[in-house]
Amino acid sequence: FFSHMSPPSMQPVADNRELLYTMADVCPYRSRDHSFLLFVVQNPSQLAHDVQQRIFRTGGLQVAMGAFGETADTVTPASSESHFHHMFAGDVLLLAVCEDTGHQVSHALFNYYLLPNAASADTTVTYLNGVAVLPRWQGQGLFSALLHTILCHRRTLYLACRTQNPRIVAGLQKVGTVYPLVHPSQEVMKIAAELAAQLGHTPSNGYDPDSMVAKKWYPHFIINSTPWPDNSDCGKRMSQLLDQKAGDCLISICIPFDIQP
């Protein structure tokens, strides 16, 4: 679907609230200093191409660039295309919009994975596939608000991610108990292993089911078939955030507080 699209270019940030109200559920969120609208967009890959372009060019690209330390002078067509593919490839896209300006300030991407071999045949994991917050809006609790929104939107037993970023793990801890930070049960370890396998990590290629760690993933980090080399702006940002030299990532499983016994 995306392979025939040209890389979207950036346009001035715009107020897309009128458009978003027609296609998404909305939840209000109030931080200490500001009010936000959190829009829940289902099946973003099925949006009309011009709608995807508008959301991305007038806010989404700026958010992604800010998260990865890029500027208008340093962003490349390859990284712009990667950000675009990534933003619209999931099952759910959450957009945080500042109520004062109508501008996008954050987004998060989620996928649903059905685990047929888990303890329950219909076990589904809500997987955090990415999150970005503009630097000037960090510290407003937006990540936690986005997590609470996805949990309210679709009740889930397991919220999961693959990361090495301690900020993401800390965000998960605000909404539930995170494994393996807490010693996991055999059931949680089995769920992590099955999710890891669907993400391409197996014991034969370095996944350790006891520690829930996938070995040496980040040195080969590729998004949507576009590698982020060490000398690129995205590569530099990844190096700042993550220990790419070791390259390990953690499969974290979070059981939300409101469904725990």
Side-chain angles (χ1 to χ4, degrees), residues 119-150:
S120 173
D122 59 353
T123 297
T124 301
V125 169
T126 300
Y127 175 70
L128 173 65
N129 198 25
V131 61
V133 182
L134 280 173
R136 65 164 293 201
W137 294 99
Q138 293 175 6
Q140 297 289 327
L142 282 168
F143 180 38
S144 296
L146 292 169
L147 292 178
H148 280 292
T149 300
I150 195 69

mmCIF file of all heavy atoms in Angstrom, residues 119-150:
data_model
loop_
_atom_site.group_PDB
_atom_site.id
_atom_site.type_symbol
_atom_site.label_atom_id
_atom_site.label_comp_id
_atom_site.label_asym_id
_atom_site.label_seq_id
_atom_site.Cartn_x
_atom_site.Cartn_y
_atom_site.Cartn_z
ATOM 1 N N ALA A 119 -2.060 -19.248 27.124
ATOM 2 C CA ALA A 119 -2.902 -20.019 28.042
ATOM 3 C C ALA A 119 -4.364 -20.015 27.599
ATOM 4 O O ALA A 119 -5.052 -21.014 27.676
ATOM 5 C CB ALA A 119 -2.769 -19.457 29.448
ATOM 6 N N SER A 120 -4.818 -18.860 27.122
ATOM 7 C CA SER A 120 -6.159 -18.755 26.578
ATOM 8 C C SER A 120 -6.057 -18.609 25.071
ATOM 9 O O SER A 120 -5.230 -17.849 24.562
ATOM 10 C CB SER A 120 -6.888 -17.546 27.180
ATOM 11 O OG SER A 120 -8.124 -17.350 26.544
ATOM 12 N N ALA A 121 -6.878 -19.327 24.346
ATOM 13 C CA ALA A 121 -6.763 -19.367 22.890
ATOM 14 C C ALA A 121 -7.020 -18.010 22.246
ATOM 15 O O ALA A 121 -6.611 -17.776 21.115
ATOM 16 C CB ALA A 121 -7.726 -20.398 22.319
ATOM 17 N N ASP A 122 -7.721 -17.109 22.956
ATOM 18 C CA ASP A 122 -8.032 -15.806 22.369
ATOM 19 C C ASP A 122 -7.216 -14.683 23.016
ATOM 20 O O ASP A 122 -7.626 -13.531 23.003
ATOM 21 C CB ASP A 122 -9.526 -15.509 22.488
ATOM 22 C CG ASP A 122 -10.001 -15.507 23.939
ATOM 23 O OD1 ASP A 122 -9.199 -15.869 24.825
ATOM 24 O OD2 ASP A 122 -11.166 -15.140 24.170
ATOM 25 N N THR A 123 -6.068 -15.019 23.597
ATOM 26 C CA THR A 123 -5.234 -14.004 24.225
ATOM 27 C C THR A 123 -4.736 -13.005 23.184
ATOM 28 O O THR A 123 -4.139 -13.383 22.181
ATOM 29 C CB THR A 123 -4.019 -14.634 24.932
ATOM 30 O OG1 THR A 123 -4.493 -15.482 25.983
ATOM 31 C CG2 THR A 123 -3.106 -13.563 25.519
ATOM 32 N N THR A 124 -4.999 -11.727 23.430
ATOM 33 C CA THR A 124 -4.545 -10.655 22.552
ATOM 34 C C THR A 124 -3.687 -9.694 23.351
ATOM 35 O O THR A 124 -4.046 -9.307 24.468
ATOM 36 C CB THR A 124 -5.726 -9.896 21.931
ATOM 37 O OG1 THR A 124 -6.528 -10.807 21.180
ATOM 38 C CG2 THR A 124 -5.235 -8.782 21.018
ATOM 39 N N VAL A 125 -2.560 -9.319 22.771
ATOM 40 C CA VAL A 125 -1.658 -8.361 23.383
ATOM 41 C C VAL A 125 -1.785 -7.035 22.646
ATOM 42 O O VAL A 125 -1.782 -6.999 21.410
ATOM 43 C CB VAL A 125 -0.194 -8.856 23.323
ATOM 44 C CG1 VAL A 125 0.781 -7.748 23.703
ATOM 45 C CG2 VAL A 125 -0.008 -10.049 24.254
ATOM 46 N N THR A 126 -1.930 -5.961 23.406
ATOM 47 C CA THR A 126 -1.880 -4.617 22.835
ATOM 48 C C THR A 126 -0.427 -4.164 22.870
ATOM 49 O O THR A 126 0.149 -3.993 23.936
ATOM 50 C CB THR A 126 -2.768 -3.643 23.624
ATOM 51 O OG1 THR A 126 -4.120 -4.104 23.596
ATOM 52 C CG2 THR A 126 -2.704 -2.244 23.033
ATOM 53 N N TYR A 127 0.147 -4.008 21.689
ATOM 54 C CA TYR A 127 1.589 -3.780 21.562
ATOM 55 C C TYR A 127 1.876 -2.327 21.204
ATOM 56 O O TYR A 127 1.369 -1.806 20.200
ATOM 57 C CB TYR A 127 2.153 -4.710 20.481
ATOM 58 C CG TYR A 127 3.606 -4.500 20.164
ATOM 59 C CD1 TYR A 127 4.609 -4.841 21.075
ATOM 60 C CD2 TYR A 127 3.990 -3.961 18.934
ATOM 61 C CE1 TYR A 127 5.945 -4.654 20.777
ATOM 62 C CE2 TYR A 127 5.330 -3.777 18.622
ATOM 63 C CZ TYR A 127 6.295 -4.117 19.547
ATOM 64 O OH TYR A 127 7.632 -3.930 19.251
ATOM 65 N N LEU A 128 2.662 -1.662 22.030
ATOM 66 C CA LEU A 128 3.101 -0.300 21.757
ATOM 67 C C LEU A 128 4.206 -0.344 20.711
ATOM 68 O O LEU A 128 5.312 -0.796 20.985
ATOM 69 C CB LEU A 128 3.605 0.367 23.038
ATOM 70 C CG LEU A 128 4.263 1.745 22.884
ATOM 71 C CD1 LEU A 128 3.263 2.775 22.394
ATOM 72 C CD2 LEU A 128 4.902 2.182 24.198
ATOM 73 N N ASN A 129 3.905 0.155 19.525
ATOM 74 C CA ASN A 129 4.840 0.074 18.413
ATOM 75 C C ASN A 129 5.643 1.356 18.221
ATOM 76 O O ASN A 129 6.488 1.429 17.330
ATOM 77 C CB ASN A 129 4.086 -0.256 17.121
ATOM 78 C CG ASN A 129 5.003 -0.770 16.039
ATOM 79 O OD1 ASN A 129 6.068 -1.318 16.307
ATOM 80 N ND2 ASN A 129 4.603 -0.591 14.787
ATOM 81 N N GLY A 130 5.383 2.354 19.033
ATOM 82 C CA GLY A 130 6.141 3.587 18.938
ATOM 83 C C GLY A 130 5.412 4.729 19.605
ATOM 84 O O GLY A 130 4.178 4.753 19.663
ATOM 85 N N VAL A 131 6.180 5.678 20.140
ATOM 86 C CA VAL A 131 5.600 6.872 20.743
ATOM 87 C C VAL A 131 6.566 8.023 20.535
ATOM 88 O O VAL A 131 7.786 7.835 20.546
ATOM 89 C CB VAL A 131 5.298 6.655 22.250
ATOM 90 C CG1 VAL A 131 6.568 6.341 23.027
ATOM 91 C CG2 VAL A 131 4.582 7.858 22.844
ATOM 92 N N ALA A 132 6.027 9.200 20.298
ATOM 93 C CA ALA A 132 6.847 10.391 20.100
ATOM 94 C C ALA A 132 6.142 11.584 20.735
ATOM 95 O O ALA A 132 4.931 11.746 20.598
ATOM 96 C CB ALA A 132 7.083 10.651 18.608
ATOM 97 N N VAL A 133 6.910 12.400 21.445
ATOM 98 C CA VAL A 133 6.403 13.622 22.069
ATOM 99 C C VAL A 133 7.365 14.751 21.721
ATOM 100 O O VAL A 133 8.580 14.606 21.899
ATOM 101 C CB VAL A 133 6.301 13.477 23.605
ATOM 102 C CG1 VAL A 133 5.720 14.751 24.222
ATOM 103 C CG2 VAL A 133 5.458 12.272 23.991
ATOM 104 N N LEU A 134 6.834 15.859 21.225
ATOM 105 C CA LEU A 134 7.697 16.997 20.948
ATOM 106 C C LEU A 134 8.440 17.412 22.216
ATOM 107 O O LEU A 134 7.843 17.459 23.299
ATOM 108 C CB LEU A 134 6.869 18.178 20.432
ATOM 109 C CG LEU A 134 6.472 18.155 18.952
ATOM 110 C CD1 LEU A 134 5.517 19.300 18.657
ATOM 111 C CD2 LEU A 134 7.696 18.235 18.046
ATOM 112 N N PRO A 135 9.733 17.700 22.116
ATOM 113 C CA PRO A 135 10.521 18.005 23.324
ATOM 114 C C PRO A 135 9.906 19.071 24.228
ATOM 115 O O PRO A 135 9.904 18.918 25.456
ATOM 116 C CB PRO A 135 11.869 18.461 22.744
ATOM 117 C CG PRO A 135 11.987 17.709 21.459
ATOM 118 C CD PRO A 135 10.578 17.655 20.907
ATOM 119 N N ARG A 136 9.348 20.124 23.656
ATOM 120 C CA ARG A 136 8.820 21.208 24.506
ATOM 121 C C ARG A 136 7.570 20.790 25.271
ATOM 122 O O ARG A 136 7.160 21.466 26.226
ATOM 123 C CB ARG A 136 8.528 22.454 23.682
ATOM 124 C CG ARG A 136 7.439 22.319 22.655
ATOM 125 C CD ARG A 136 6.952 23.674 22.165
ATOM 126 N NE ARG A 136 6.266 24.396 23.221
ATOM 127 C CZ ARG A 136 5.405 25.391 22.990
ATOM 128 N NH1 ARG A 136 5.178 25.796 21.761
ATOM 129 N NH2 ARG A 136 4.793 25.992 23.984
ATOM 130 N N TRP A 137 6.950 19.675 24.867
ATOM 131 C CA TRP A 137 5.746 19.197 25.528
ATOM 132 C C TRP A 137 6.013 17.992 26.428
ATOM 133 O O TRP A 137 5.079 17.437 27.017
ATOM 134 C CB TRP A 137 4.681 18.850 24.493
ATOM 135 C CG TRP A 137 4.207 20.055 23.743
ATOM 136 C CD1 TRP A 137 4.602 20.465 22.507
ATOM 137 C CD2 TRP A 137 3.268 21.029 24.206
ATOM 138 N NE1 TRP A 137 3.965 21.635 22.153
ATOM 139 C CE2 TRP A 137 3.141 22.000 23.180
ATOM 140 C CE3 TRP A 137 2.521 21.171 25.385
ATOM 141 C CZ2 TRP A 137 2.296 23.101 23.317
ATOM 142 C CZ3 TRP A 137 1.680 22.271 25.502
ATOM 143 C CH2 TRP A 137 1.574 23.218 24.476
ATOM 144 N N GLN A 138 7.251 17.583 26.527
ATOM 145 C CA GLN A 138 7.575 16.494 27.441
ATOM 146 C C GLN A 138 7.443 16.984 28.887
ATOM 147 O O GLN A 138 7.626 18.160 29.171
ATOM 148 C CB GLN A 138 8.988 15.981 27.150
ATOM 149 C CG GLN A 138 9.104 15.300 25.794
ATOM 150 C CD GLN A 138 10.509 14.886 25.431
ATOM 151 O OE1 GLN A 138 11.436 15.004 26.234
ATOM 152 N NE2 GLN A 138 10.708 14.416 24.204
ATOM 153 N N GLY A 139 7.100 16.062 29.768
ATOM 154 C CA GLY A 139 6.868 16.436 31.161
ATOM 155 C C GLY A 139 5.426 16.797 31.464
ATOM 156 O O GLY A 139 5.113 17.176 32.588
ATOM 157 N N GLN A 140 4.537 16.664 30.465
ATOM 158 C CA GLN A 140 3.121 16.967 30.661
ATOM 159 C C GLN A 140 2.291 15.719 30.945
ATOM 160 O O GLN A 140 1.068 15.801 31.030
ATOM 161 C CB GLN A 140 2.565 17.682 29.426
ATOM 162 C CG GLN A 140 3.201 19.019 29.131
ATOM 163 C CD GLN A 140 2.821 20.091 30.137
ATOM 164 O OE1 GLN A 140 1.704 20.090 30.659
ATOM 165 N NE2 GLN A 140 3.738 20.989 30.430
ATOM 166 N N GLY A 141 2.955 14.562 31.052
ATOM 167 C CA GLY A 141 2.225 13.329 31.310
ATOM 168 C C GLY A 141 1.508 12.772 30.102
ATOM 169 O O GLY A 141 0.597 11.938 30.239
ATOM 170 N N LEU A 142 1.932 13.186 28.899
ATOM 171 C CA LEU A 142 1.216 12.763 27.696
ATOM 172 C C LEU A 142 1.349 11.269 27.427
ATOM 173 O O LEU A 142 0.388 10.620 27.001
ATOM 174 C CB LEU A 142 1.710 13.564 26.487
ATOM 175 C CG LEU A 142 1.167 14.986 26.378
ATOM 176 C CD1 LEU A 142 1.938 15.785 25.337
ATOM 177 C CD2 LEU A 142 -0.321 14.960 26.034
ATOM 178 N N PHE A 143 2.534 10.715 27.667
ATOM 179 C CA PHE A 143 2.711 9.286 27.409
ATOM 180 C C PHE A 143 1.769 8.465 28.276
ATOM 181 O O PHE A 143 1.077 7.566 27.791
ATOM 182 C CB PHE A 143 4.168 8.892 27.639
ATOM 183 C CG PHE A 143 4.461 7.432 27.388
ATOM 184 C CD1 PHE A 143 3.866 6.749 26.349
ATOM 185 C CD2 PHE A 143 5.343 6.736 28.198
ATOM 186 C CE1 PHE A 143 4.119 5.404 26.112
ATOM 187 C CE2 PHE A 143 5.619 5.396 27.984
ATOM 188 C CZ PHE A 143 4.997 4.726 26.940
ATOM 189 N N SER A 144 1.714 8.777 29.567
ATOM 190 C CA SER A 144 0.796 8.055 30.455
ATOM 191 C C SER A 144 -0.653 8.247 30.019
ATOM 192 O O SER A 144 -1.456 7.301 30.062
ATOM 193 C CB SER A 144 0.978 8.531 31.899
ATOM 194 O OG SER A 144 2.262 8.224 32.381
ATOM 195 N N ALA A 145 -0.987 9.460 29.592
ATOM 196 C CA ALA A 145 -2.361 9.724 29.148
ATOM 197 C C ALA A 145 -2.701 8.897 27.912
ATOM 198 O O ALA A 145 -3.813 8.370 27.792
ATOM 199 C CB ALA A 145 -2.532 11.210 28.858
ATOM 200 N N LEU A 146 -1.751 8.765 26.988
ATOM 201 C CA LEU A 146 -1.983 7.955 25.789
ATOM 202 C C LEU A 146 -2.168 6.485 26.165
ATOM 203 O O LEU A 146 -3.025 5.789 25.605
ATOM 204 C CB LEU A 146 -0.822 8.121 24.816
ATOM 205 C CG LEU A 146 -0.686 9.507 24.167
ATOM 206 C CD1 LEU A 146 0.655 9.630 23.445
ATOM 207 C CD2 LEU A 146 -1.833 9.777 23.212
ATOM 208 N N LEU A 147 -1.365 5.996 27.121
ATOM 209 C CA LEU A 147 -1.511 4.608 27.564
ATOM 210 C C LEU A 147 -2.869 4.392 28.222
ATOM 211 O O LEU A 147 -3.554 3.390 27.954
ATOM 212 C CB LEU A 147 -0.388 4.245 28.530
ATOM 213 C CG LEU A 147 1.022 4.154 27.950
ATOM 214 C CD1 LEU A 147 2.035 3.835 29.051
ATOM 215 C CD2 LEU A 147 1.112 3.107 26.847
ATOM 216 N N HIS A 148 -3.281 5.303 29.095
ATOM 217 C CA HIS A 148 -4.591 5.174 29.737
ATOM 218 C C HIS A 148 -5.708 5.191 28.690
ATOM 219 O O HIS A 148 -6.694 4.463 28.807
ATOM 220 C CB HIS A 148 -4.800 6.307 30.743
ATOM 221 C CG HIS A 148 -4.127 6.093 32.056
ATOM 222 N ND1 HIS A 148 -4.523 5.109 32.944
ATOM 223 C CD2 HIS A 148 -3.081 6.730 32.640
ATOM 224 C CE1 HIS A 148 -3.754 5.152 34.031
ATOM 225 N NE2 HIS A 148 -2.871 6.115 33.864
ATOM 226 N N THR A 149 -5.536 5.997 27.646
ATOM 227 C CA THR A 149 -6.565 6.104 26.611
ATOM 228 C C THR A 149 -6.714 4.795 25.846
ATOM 229 O O THR A 149 -7.837 4.331 25.614
ATOM 230 C CB THR A 149 -6.223 7.245 25.639
ATOM 231 O OG1 THR A 149 -6.163 8.477 26.363
ATOM 232 C CG2 THR A 149 -7.275 7.358 24.544
ATOM 233 N N ILE A 150 -5.605 4.177 25.463
ATOM 234 C CA ILE A 150 -5.705 2.916 24.721
ATOM 235 C C ILE A 150 -6.287 1.822 25.612
ATOM 236 O O ILE A 150 -7.058 0.970 25.153
ATOM 237 C CB ILE A 150 -4.342 2.487 24.126
ATOM 238 C CG1 ILE A 150 -4.545 1.393 23.059
ATOM 239 C CG2 ILE A 150 -3.374 2.022 25.190
ATOM 240 C CD1 ILE A 150 -5.216 1.844 21.813
#
